[in-house]
């Protein structure tokens, strides 16, 4: 029954993709409006806005979620709460749909809050302390974005409408709040801490939620409301934030040893790339990279899930090695997805990434941002090559403890479907969009490829490097996200410590003893005294009083 529902979801996704092509070629868009309530000049309405962007994103979410659910049938087999897991994933997909089709800020909040809550429930699915802590960090940092959306709603009351897409509000505070909500959901620099921590979730959740849908919700929001960034020159701020995020995540991933965290940091890097091209106003190009990245990144997570599954739930890449001999099928898919991530020529990632880099070279940009973006590109290639060297080509590793089982057929089918779609989508979309005219000289044109080549050599060097002795202080500093995770620990430590002290002393101590127990004990003591000592005396007096009354009445 569950399998049939997954197949239905897959075909609905395919139908949405065909519909998006029809909308794109005929330049259609469709707006459906349900007015719930009028209040003065404000209308509380539920809007559904369908154009080729929203339909293609819907098809992407439905296709990836159906294939991930198919994969989960085997990956989560034997789990006690499998039904709950599926319900949570479907609730997540539903809130994603609300987010995509609503141009109204009120409808947007419905999907936005739904995403936060269901992702929290999915992160704490394996109920241990690490999951609880990660879930709490995630939900608290995402609340910042939720609150900024609520503040946008209250600001829009003064402006006269909640339809941010159909009106152009030239309002500085609104643009800043919109940027804040987008960078919290897409884990840009001050709020990047939650994305590597969210890897405590099961691997199918990481594949669906933390690579392709939830983290791209902020990018999708800025694609929709892109004109707000240019009214008040907030796009310069966004460029700085995104380029710093790219550089930081690239550096961190080169020193990381956890397989899922490396892939999470690469997601962070690619989100920075999408944001940086959005800050130049290239909406189509950012969306193009979003779609391609979602497909190959979810595929990378599914491959890593199989490896973790077969390695007795071990995620440390230092204990892996020589995987290519044991699992050639998974290795092939992992290789090709990683090459797409690097932007290797004629794989799907190349078409969007190379174009983005060439447009960055053509644009008016300061030297610092340009340097950071190109250094981050080099580091992307570097950590990808390091990952491949350590996990697949490290023949000297003797620690690997494989259960030499074949991969399950259902897992393989879902991965093959995703693999072919991610392989072909780059060339397909590249021919579909009439994008940009590139005018560069030969040196600039080959700059990106030469950077990739340098990155390959740097990655081989990093894979041979022992990080146990030297570079330890640098590693600790880089792993703390340029000190931002340490900063969060500091600002949370003392308030939480003293609030626990107050809770123990006042709430559970003095107040509880004085008021709850004190009043209760006092009343009980009084009542018992009354019962034990005075009950019979009072009863006899009362009976005598009644007898006297009766006698008086008779007389």
């Amino acid at each position: 029954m569950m399998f049939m529902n997954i197949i239905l979801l897959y075909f609905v996704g395919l139908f949405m993709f065909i519909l998006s092509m029809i909308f794109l070629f005929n330049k259609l868009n469709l707006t459906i409006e349900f007015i719930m309530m009028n209040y003065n000049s404000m209308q509380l309405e539920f809007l559904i806005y369908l154009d080729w962007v929203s339909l293609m994103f819907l098809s992407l979410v439905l296709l990836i979620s159906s294939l991930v659910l198919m994969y989960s049938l085997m990956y989560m087999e034997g789990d006690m709460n499998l039904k709950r897991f599926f319900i949570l994933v479907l609730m997540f997909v539903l809130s994603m749909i609300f987010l995509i089709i609503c141009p109204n800020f009120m409808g947007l909040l419905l999907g936005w809050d739904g995403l936060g809550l269901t992702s929290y429930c999915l992160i704490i699915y394996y109920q241990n302390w690490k999951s609880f802590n990660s879930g709490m960090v995630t939900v608290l940092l995402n609340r910042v974005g939720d609150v900024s959306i609520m503040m946008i709603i209250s600001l829009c009351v003064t402006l006269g409408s909640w339809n941010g897409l159909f009106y152009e509000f030239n309002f500085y505070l609104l643009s800043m709040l919109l940027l804040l909500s987008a960078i919290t959901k897409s884990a840009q620099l001050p709020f990047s801490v939650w994305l590597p921590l969210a890897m405590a979730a099961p691997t199918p959740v990481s594949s669906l939620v933390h690579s392709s849908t939830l983290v791209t919700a902020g990018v999708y929001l800025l694609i929709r409301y892109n004109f707000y960034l240019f009214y008040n020159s907030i796009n310069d701020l966004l460029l700085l934030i995104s380029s710093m995020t790219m550089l930081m995540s690239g550096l961190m991933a080169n020193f990381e040893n956890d397989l899922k965290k490396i892939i999470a940091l690469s997601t962070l890097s690619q989100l920075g790339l999408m944001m940086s091209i959005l800050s130049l106003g290239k909406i189509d190009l950012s969306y193009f990279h979003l779609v391609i990245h979602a497909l190959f990144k979810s595929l990378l997570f599914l491959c890593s899930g199989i490896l973790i599954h077969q390695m007795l739930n071990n995620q440390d890449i230092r204990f892996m090695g020589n995987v290519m001999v044991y699992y050639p099928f998974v290795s092939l898919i992992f290789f090709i997805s990683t090459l797409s991530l690097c932007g290797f020529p004629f794989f799907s990632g190349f078409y969007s990434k190379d174009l983005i880099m060439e447009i960055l070279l053509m644009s008016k940009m300061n030297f610092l941002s340009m340097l950071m973006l190109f250094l981050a590109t080099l580091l992307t290639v570097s950590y990808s090559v390091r990952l491949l060297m350590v996990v697949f080509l490290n023949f000297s590793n003797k620690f690997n403890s494989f259960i030499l089982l074949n991969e399950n057929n259902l897992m393989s089918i879902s991965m093959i479907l995703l693999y072919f779609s991610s392989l072909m989508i780059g060339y397909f979309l590249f021919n579909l969009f009439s994008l940009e005219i590139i005018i560069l000289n030969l040196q600039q044109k080959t700059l990106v490829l030469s950077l990739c080549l340098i990155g390959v050599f740097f990655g081989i060097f990093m894979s041979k490097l022992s990080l146990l002795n030297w570079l330890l202080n640098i590693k600790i500093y880089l792993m703390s996200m340029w000190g931002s995770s340490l900063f969060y620990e500091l600002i949370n430590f003392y308030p939480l410590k003293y609030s626990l002290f107050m809770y123990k002393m006042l709430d559970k101590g003095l107040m509880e003893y004085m008021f709850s127990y004190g009043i209760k004990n006092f009343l009980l003591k009084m009542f018992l005294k009354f019962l034990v000592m005075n009950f019979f005396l009072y009863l006899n007096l009362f009976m005598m009083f009644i007898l006297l009354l009766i006698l008086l009445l008779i007389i």
Side-chain angles (χ1 to χ4, degrees):
M1 183 65 189
M2 208 175 273
F3 186 70
M4 292 307 294
N5 290 338
I6 291 166
I7 297 293
L8 177 69
L9 202 63
Y10 182 78
F11 281 110
V12 170
L14 282 177
F15 172 70
M16 288 289 179
F17 187 74
I18 295 161
L19 206 61
S20 75
M21 291 297 104
I22 293 167
F23 271 59
L24 176 62
F25 291 138
N26 296 321
K27 294 185 171 56
L28 298 172
N29 55 9
L30 177 70
T31 310
I32 306 165
E33 187 178 21
F34 302 98
I35 296 175
M36 310 281 186
M37 190 177 77
N38 280 342
Y39 178 71
N40 294 351
S41 63
M42 295 289 286
Q43 289 182 338
L44 182 62
E45 56 201 355
F46 185 76
L47 272 173
I48 295 174
Y49 180 71
L50 298 175
D51 60 344
W52 69 269
V53 176
S54 56
L55 282 168
M56 196 182 281
F57 202 33
L58 269 177
S59 76
L60 186 77
V61 169
L62 292 172
L63 287 173
I64 293 176
S65 60
S66 63
L67 293 171
V68 164
L69 285 171
M70 192 192 294
Y71 177 91
S72 308
L73 279 175
M74 288 299 122
Y75 186 85
M76 308 288 286
E77 195 181 22
D79 195 275
M80 296 288 285
N81 306 312
L82 189 62
K83 193 175 279 188
R84 186 180 72 194
F85 175 77
F86 273 79
I87 288 167
L88 280 171
V89 171
L90 289 171
M91 278 170 66
F92 174 82
V93 172
L94 184 69
S95 24
M96 199 70 209
I97 289 167
F98 275 127
L99 178 81
I100 292 164
I101 62 174
C102 284
N104 195 336
F105 284 122
M106 295 293 271
L108 180 79
L109 184 72
L110 192 67
W112 202 261
D113 262 353
L115 285 181
L117 290 169
T118 48
S119 71
Y120 172 68
C121 292
L122 286 164
I123 288 167
I124 62 165
Y125 183 77
Y126 294 137
Q127 295 171 6
N128 52 38
W129 281 111
K130 186 187 170 192
S131 300
F132 291 148
N133 290 336
S134 305
M136 195 50 70
V137 170
T138 305
V139 82
L140 288 177
L141 281 178
N142 277 326
R143 287 314 286 168
V144 178
D146 297 347
V147 167
S148 60
I149 292 276
M150 288 176 193
M151 288 167 83
I152 286 172
I153 287 170
S154 53
L155 271 176
C156 284
V157 174
T158 64
L159 294 171
S161 174
W162 283 306
N163 297 344
L165 201 59
F166 302 143
Y167 298 98
E168 296 190 356
F169 298 133
N170 189 355
F171 196 20
Y172 182 73
L173 190 57
L174 190 131
S175 306
M176 281 301 289
L177 287 169
L178 200 65
L179 181 67
L180 181 68
S181 58
I183 63 173
T184 47
K185 197 62 91 176
S186 286
Q188 295 302 297
L189 193 62
F191 309 104
S192 303
V193 183
W194 70 264
L195 190 59
L197 285 176
M199 293 299 114
T203 311
V205 172
S206 302
S207 176
L208 173 66
V209 177
H210 303 120
S211 70
S212 49
T213 47
L214 172 80
V215 286
T216 52
V219 182
Y220 179 77
L221 188 74
L222 288 185
I223 286 171
R224 276 282 188 233
Y225 301 101
N226 191 261
F227 49 86
Y228 285 114
L229 296 176
F230 291 95
Y231 286 148
N232 304 293
S233 301
I234 293 175
N235 55 332
D236 301 335
L237 176 65
L238 179 62
L239 180 65
L240 180 69
I241 289 170
S242 57
S243 52
M244 282 177 70
T245 308
M246 270 188 83
L247 186 61
M248 178 209 67
S249 51
L251 275 168
M252 277 183 71
N254 273 299
F255 292 100
E256 184 60 69
N257 291 317
D258 189 314
L259 178 60
K260 280 175 75 175
K261 277 191 181 175
I262 291 173
I263 304 175
L265 288 165
S266 78
T267 304
L268 200 53
S269 179
Q270 299 304 306
L271 287 167
L273 187 63
M274 291 173 213
M275 289 285 196
S276 60
I277 198 69
L278 261 180
S279 65
L280 301 176
K282 303 283 186 275
I283 303 171
D284 284 357
L285 196 52
S286 177
Y287 188 65
F288 180 30
H289 190 59
L290 187 150
V291 172
I292 292 170
H293 167 259
L295 287 164
F296 69 69
K297 192 51 65 71
S298 53
L299 192 55
L300 268 176
F301 267 115
L302 295 185
C303 291
S304 69
I306 283 186
L307 292 181
I308 291 164
H309 199 59
Q310 309 288 27
M311 288 283 296
L312 300 172
N313 299 328
N314 171 45
Q315 296 185 13
D316 200 320
I317 61 171
R318 288 170 297 186
F319 294 111
M320 296 182 190
N322 208 359
V323 173
M324 200 168 69
V325 177
Y326 297 122
Y327 298 113
F329 169 70
V330 175
S331 304
L332 173 76
I333 292 183
F334 200 98
F335 261 65
I336 288 171
S337 305
T338 313
L339 288 173
S340 284
L341 172 66
C342 295
F344 194 80
F346 311 114
F347 287 95
S348 60
F350 167 76
Y351 291 104
S352 59
K353 203 168 180 181
D354 201 61
L355 201 55
I356 286 173
M357 286 301 158
E358 286 170 354
I359 283 171
L360 288 173
L361 277 170
M362 282 173 60
S363 62
K364 296 177 186 173
M365 193 185 291
N366 55 15
F367 184 68
L368 177 68
S369 290
M370 184 72 79
L371 188 69
M372 277 160 63
L373 286 164
F374 280 91
L375 194 57
T377 310
L378 187 144
L379 289 168
T380 302
V381 180
S382 152
Y383 64 69
S384 305
V385 171
R386 173 178 173 258
L387 185 62
L388 292 180
M389 291 289 291
V390 172
V391 176
F392 296 96
L393 303 168
N394 183 8
F395 295 107
S396 62
N397 198 344
K398 298 291 185 287
F399 290 109
N400 43 19
S401 53
F402 288 100
I403 318 167
L404 287 174
L405 301 170
N406 288 333
E407 305 95 30
N408 195 283
N409 287 338
L410 207 56
M411 281 182 173
S412 302
I413 289 166
S414 64
M415 279 167 64
I416 286 167
L417 287 169
L418 201 52
Y419 166 70
F420 279 116
S421 55
S422 81
L423 199 63
M424 294 183 293
I425 193 83
Y427 188 65
F428 176 75
L429 290 180
F430 184 72
N431 288 327
L432 197 67
F433 296 146
S434 56
L435 289 163
E436 303 288 329
I437 299 166
I438 307 292
I439 304 163
L440 293 171
N441 62 21
L442 186 66
Q443 184 191 356
Q444 289 170 325
K445 193 80 176 163
T446 53
L447 176 66
V448 182
L449 287 176
S450 54
L451 274 175
C452 289
L453 201 62
I454 298 165
V456 168
F457 290 120
F458 187 63
I460 292 168
F461 168 69
M462 288 299 290
S463 66
K464 303 295 181 194
L465 197 64
S466 168
L467 292 171
L468 297 175
N469 309 324
W470 66 293
L471 287 178
L472 194 64
N473 293 334
I474 302 171
K475 184 186 172 187
I476 289 166
Y477 174 65
L478 288 173
M479 296 301 285
S480 66
M481 296 213 168
W482 286 352
S484 62
S485 60
L486 298 173
F487 173 70
Y488 280 123
E489 282 171 21
L490 279 174
I491 60 170
N492 287 329
F493 178 72
Y494 290 105
L496 287 174
K497 184 182 175 185
Y498 290 120
S499 64
L500 185 68
F501 174 74
M502 296 283 281
Y503 173 69
K504 281 182 176 174
M505 286 298 293
L506 289 176
D507 206 36
K508 283 285 186 188
L510 200 64
M511 288 171 74
E512 183 120 6
Y513 187 76
M514 280 181 66
F515 292 100
S516 304
Y517 292 123
I519 292 171
K520 188 181 80 176
N521 289 342
F522 174 72
L523 288 171
L524 272 173
K525 277 179 185 174
M526 293 300 291
F527 188 61
L528 283 169
K529 271 184 184 177
F530 174 74
L531 282 180
V532 173
M533 295 180 63
N534 305 328
F535 180 70
F536 292 108
L537 178 67
Y538 285 133
L539 189 67
N540 290 333
L541 285 171
F542 181 70
M543 292 300 289
M544 284 173 67
F545 178 68
I546 295 292
L547 282 169
L548 277 169
L549 273 176
I550 293 166
L551 283 168
L552 284 168
L553 285 170
I554 291 167
I555 293 165

